[in-house]
Amino acid sequence: MATLEFNGKTFEIDEDGFLLDYNMYNEEWVEYVKGQEGIDEMTDEHWQLVKVLQDYYEKNGIAPMVRVLSKLTKFKLKHIYELFPSGPGKGACKMAGLPKPTGCV
Amino acid sequence: MAFISTGYNPAKPMENRITDIGPKDYHDFYPPVIANNKGKWSHHEILEPGVLVHVGDSGDEVYTVRVGGCRLMSTSHINEICDIADKHCDGYVRFTTRNNIEFMVDSKDKVEPLKNDLASRKFAGGSNKFPIGGTGAGVTNIVHTQGWIHCHTPATDASGTVKATMDTLFDDFQQMRLPAQLRVSMACCLNMCGAVHCSDIAILGYHRKPPMLDHEYLDKVCEIPLAVAACPTAAIKPSKQTLANGTEVKSVEVKNERCMYCGNCYTMCPSMPLADTEGDGIVLMAGGKVSNRISDPKFSKVVVAFLPNEMPRWPSMTDAIKKIVNAYSNGANKYERLGDWAERIGWEKFFSACELDFTHHLIDDFRQQAYMSWRQTTNFKF
Ligand code: HEM
Ligand code: HEM
Ligand code: SF4
Ligand code: SF4
């Protein structure tokens, strides 16, 4: 666990750089993660994916399955990787402020 | 050490990135005698424990010397394996599906020098670096997992229990005196990475206490519906909890009478840890197999409900394993795997032959299928 200062905002993060609390999310967080995750510019598609993850999480309490994410965004998995090189879990969920994926990952 | 770049540019992570190239083609690593006779083998023979010969239709022969490997090994150990392969086998070597190491030579006169070299190598503590064996009707390597070396869900250690067991059964690694081969496997939690559910004897890490709940963080770090759905006995339900400081948070509640400590919820939710020094220990299972030889494949069955974790040598566990192996080798017919033997004599006789206690924990109580494991016949022995 560590506290991070970025553009005047503070975030509590774990050793993998995931937010410790979804309620701490704000747009500065996206700015911070994008540098780490190999994203030059946030496009509309990046934002669309982040919003879908956040809506789904707020409604259901879980991150969507990859197939559900694909269906909701109309992005194929290949395109999700083009947007988020580390993939939907480590890249997109981290940026959206969702909890770290668990299980035998 | 100061940072030394490989040439990767973190500012442009996708530039010059190589991906989806897969593993190297195994053809690249065949010893010439294997490449030349591939698909044209005539027969094979076990010359002695740990030494095999395969004869090709062409008359070519390849001699294989199998040695035990500790699986978890340093690069210096691998370098030593490579040195041996360079010296005796033109640089070729392979690892088996039970993590033994096989050195191959293409003529009989190369076997003795290789064997002598392998047998002479020891660690400073005295243990064999490359014990020859693991063939035929004996005990070969133990398929095992991560344990306290690297995993976060174990209830026991893998490398430690395996070393203690292999020391106890070492004679049978270097002999072929059993009725059939005896596979021992180990998994440090009931995720059962590996082969414990289908081995002649299996060592399994086991908890005996329900998870602790870190209400303060649970909703933050866990996806609560996943934790609820992780439970095979539906012991978990979502709940609201009030913290010491008065804030109400979302969390879960565990009905302890329904929990059987599988630890699945912790796998999904970091706020539900359950490892416990006194609670955790070992279950032994027996009678599984994967081959179709004579009888169909079988699952292993629980035969010892709990043995404590006794670091660093687990004596109660190795004693129980030794009793099972002895009873099997004395009682079974030739070619009978441990499970074939237990089923032929009846499990009630298995327990008396192995001098193991039968406790109520061994009676299946998981869902409808449990019924099928009870005895629906008057056929039994006193
Ligand atoms: C609606 C009508 C019936 C119901 C709900 C019913 C229900 C049951 C149940 C629950 C059992 C116990 C099964 C077990 O131990 O797992 C049973 C057993 C048995 N029933 Fe019925 N039964 C009905 C009608 C009948 C009739 C009409 C007969 C005979 C003419 C009959 C003969 C038996 C016998 C012989 C057993 C013992 C079977 C065994 O030991 O395996 N039942 N019944
Ligand atoms: C001389 C005639 C009979 C003898 C010697 C006899 C004997 C027995 C015995 C020894 C059992 C117990 C089996 C066990 O250990 O589970 C039994 C069970 C049974 N018998 Fe008979 N039986 C006779 C006639 C009949 C008749 C006429 C019927 C039906 C019309 C019948 C229906 C049953 C049933 C349903 C059971 C199972 C009971 C249960 O599930 O607990 N028996 N019989
Ligand atoms: S068996 Fe369980 S504890 Fe052991 S490595 Fe697999 S998941 Fe981890
Ligand atoms: S340890 Fe297993 S049985 Fe117990 S609450 Fe967790 S998931 Fe359910």
Side-chain angles (χ1 to χ4, degrees):
Chain A
M1 262 178 236
T3 307
L4 169 89
E5 296 264 358
F6 186 78
N7 287 356
K9 294 269 176 10
T10 35
F11 302 101
E12 268 194 83
I13 57 166
D14 68 11
E15 68 277 17
D16 295 312
F18 276 78
L19 267 190
L20 268 189
D21 185 353
Y22 178 71
N23 295 317
M24 283 186 235
Y25 171 89
N26 55 48
E27 298 206 349
E28 288 312 320
W29 174 248
V30 173
E31 278 304 306
Y32 168 71
V33 174
K34 122 184 166 188
Q36 285 205 328
E37 291 296 325
I39 298 165
D40 292 332
E41 213 48 65
M42 287 295 285
T43 62
D44 289 349
E45 289 187 333
H46 285 104
W47 281 114
Q48 187 189 342
L49 206 123
V50 168
K51 292 291 173 226
V52 165
L53 286 174
Q54 294 182 332
D55 286 349
Y56 194 93
Y57 180 64
E58 283 167 30
K59 264 191 217 129
N60 301 294
I62 58 174
M65 287 187 283
V66 170
R67 279 161 172 263
V68 174
L69 182 64
S70 241
K71 215 161 183 184
L72 290 175
T73 55
K74 312 246 186 319
F75 301 156
K76 288 200 161 40
L77 187 58
K78 186 166 182 293
H79 189 52
I80 297 177
Y81 271 89
E82 285 159 6
L83 297 169
F84 293 91
S86 318
K90 190 180 165 290
C93 283
K94 184 203 248 185
M95 178 173 277
L98 269 53
K100 182 159 65 192
T102 53
C104 299
V105 283
Chain B
M1 207 205 308
F3 175 72
I4 299 173
S5 171
T6 57
Y8 166 75
N9 178 1
K12 291 200 165 28
M14 302 302 276
E15 200 177 86
N16 298 327
R17 176 167 170 268
I18 298 166
T19 177
D20 296 313
I21 55 171
K24 293 259 193 182
D25 188 336
Y26 49 85
H27 290 94
D28 299 351
F29 307 98
Y30 279 155
V33 58
I34 300 287
N36 296 339
N37 293 280
K38 183 181 176 176
K40 294 173 288 190
W41 298 106
S42 154
H43 61 280
H44 73 270
E45 235 180 288
I46 303 178
L47 300 176
E48 59 184 276
V51 183
L52 304 138
V53 59
H54 288 77
V55 182
D57 294 334
S58 64
D60 285 358
E61 291 177 330
V62 53
Y63 293 84
T64 304
V65 180
R66 182 179 299 168
V67 299
C70 47
R71 192 183 70 97
L72 191 73
M73 44 180 78
S74 65
T75 49
S76 40
H77 194 64
I78 292 169
N79 281 333
E80 188 166 343
I81 293 169
C82 294
D83 290 343
I84 298 168
D86 283 340
K87 201 162 133 199
H88 299 272
C89 318
D90 302 320
Y92 296 97
V93 63
R94 66 184 289 268
F95 286 76
T96 70
T97 53
R98 299 190 75 89
N99 305 302
N100 288 312
I101 306 151
E102 287 187 346
F103 296 98
M104 284 155 287
V105 289
D106 53 14
S107 78
K108 182 148 201 174
D109 49 302
K110 296 181 182 169
V111 175
E112 280 309 306
L114 171 61
K115 271 175 52 195
N116 294 339
D117 188 357
L118 290 166
S120 71
R121 294 175 187 250
K122 306 217 175 211
F123 287 105
S127 42
N128 293 293
K129 281 183 173 171
F130 304 106
I132 299 166
T135 54
V139 173
T140 179
N141 214 349
I142 302 182
V143 166
H144 62 282
T145 52
Q146 304 187 57
W148 296 323
I149 295 282
H150 199 76
C151 196
H152 70 301
T153 65
T156 188
D157 188 42
S159 300
T161 52
V162 163
K163 169 69 173 152
T165 306
M166 274 319 269
D167 281 350
T168 309
L169 302 180
F170 186 63
D171 289 347
D172 282 318
F173 181 80
Q174 299 204 301
Q175 302 177 64
M176 305 190 292
R177 56 145 200 140
L178 297 179
Q181 70 267 53
L182 186 109
R183 302 296 190 228
V184 187
S185 299
M186 190 286 153
C188 35
C189 87
L190 38 66
N191 269 352
M192 300 193 176
C193 300
V196 284
H197 62 297
C198 56
S199 297
D200 296 281
I201 295 181
I203 304 166
L204 182 66
Y206 180 62
H207 301 289
R208 292 185 302 166
K209 296 185 184 181
M212 295 167 274
L213 301 172
D214 185 355
H215 293 305
E216 187 186 345
Y217 280 97
L218 199 139
D219 184 40
K220 295 177 180 172
V221 298
C222 307
E223 299 164 68
I224 289 175
L226 297 190
V228 172
C231 186
T233 57
I236 306 174
K237 62 177 182 188
S239 77
K240 293 244 161 67
Q241 300 284 341
T242 311
L243 302 179
N245 68 11
T247 23
E248 197 186 51
V249 290
K250 283 194 217 163
S251 188
V252 298
E253 201 177 296
V254 173
K255 205 180 219 182
N256 287 350
E257 324 78 91
R258 284 191 77 91
C259 173
M260 38 72 163
Y261 335 119
C262 67
N264 236 9
C265 52
Y266 177 58
T267 299
M268 297 315 292
C269 170
S271 292
M272 301 179 75
L274 77 167
D276 183 87
T277 310
E278 284 80 33
D280 295 354
I282 279 167
V283 162
L284 294 181
M285 306 197 293
K289 71 195 266 281
V290 288
S291 79
N292 280 302
R293 206 260 271 120
I294 303 176
S295 61
D296 286 342
K298 304 179 207 292
F299 283 128
S300 48
K301 292 179 163 52
V302 178
V303 296
V304 178
F306 184 78
L307 293 166
N309 272 330
E310 298 164 323
M311 292 72 82
R313 299 292 296 175
W314 282 268
S316 310
M317 177 195 78
T318 52
D319 284 356
I321 291 173
K322 189 81 201 167
K323 283 198 282 191
I324 299 173
V325 174
N326 283 344
Y328 162 68
S329 71
N330 294 334
N333 295 332
K334 196 164 169 56
Y335 302 127
E336 250 177 356
R337 294 287 292 266
L338 195 145
D340 296 330
W341 168 65
E343 284 177 7
R344 174 173 59 81
I345 64 172
W347 283 95
E348 65 271 36
K349 287 293 169 192
F350 170 88
F351 281 92
S352 55
C354 298
E355 299 164 43
L356 297 174
D357 288 336
F358 187 93
T359 63
H360 71 275
H361 306 95
L362 309 186
I363 302 171
D364 194 353
D365 56 1
F366 189 64
R367 302 190 181 167
Q368 283 144 302
Q369 199 60 28
Y371 181 81
M372 303 310 292
S373 69
W374 306 337
R375 189 161 301 199
Q376 328 281 344
T377 168
T378 54
N379 288 336
F380 70 93
K381 298 196 189 85
F382 280 102

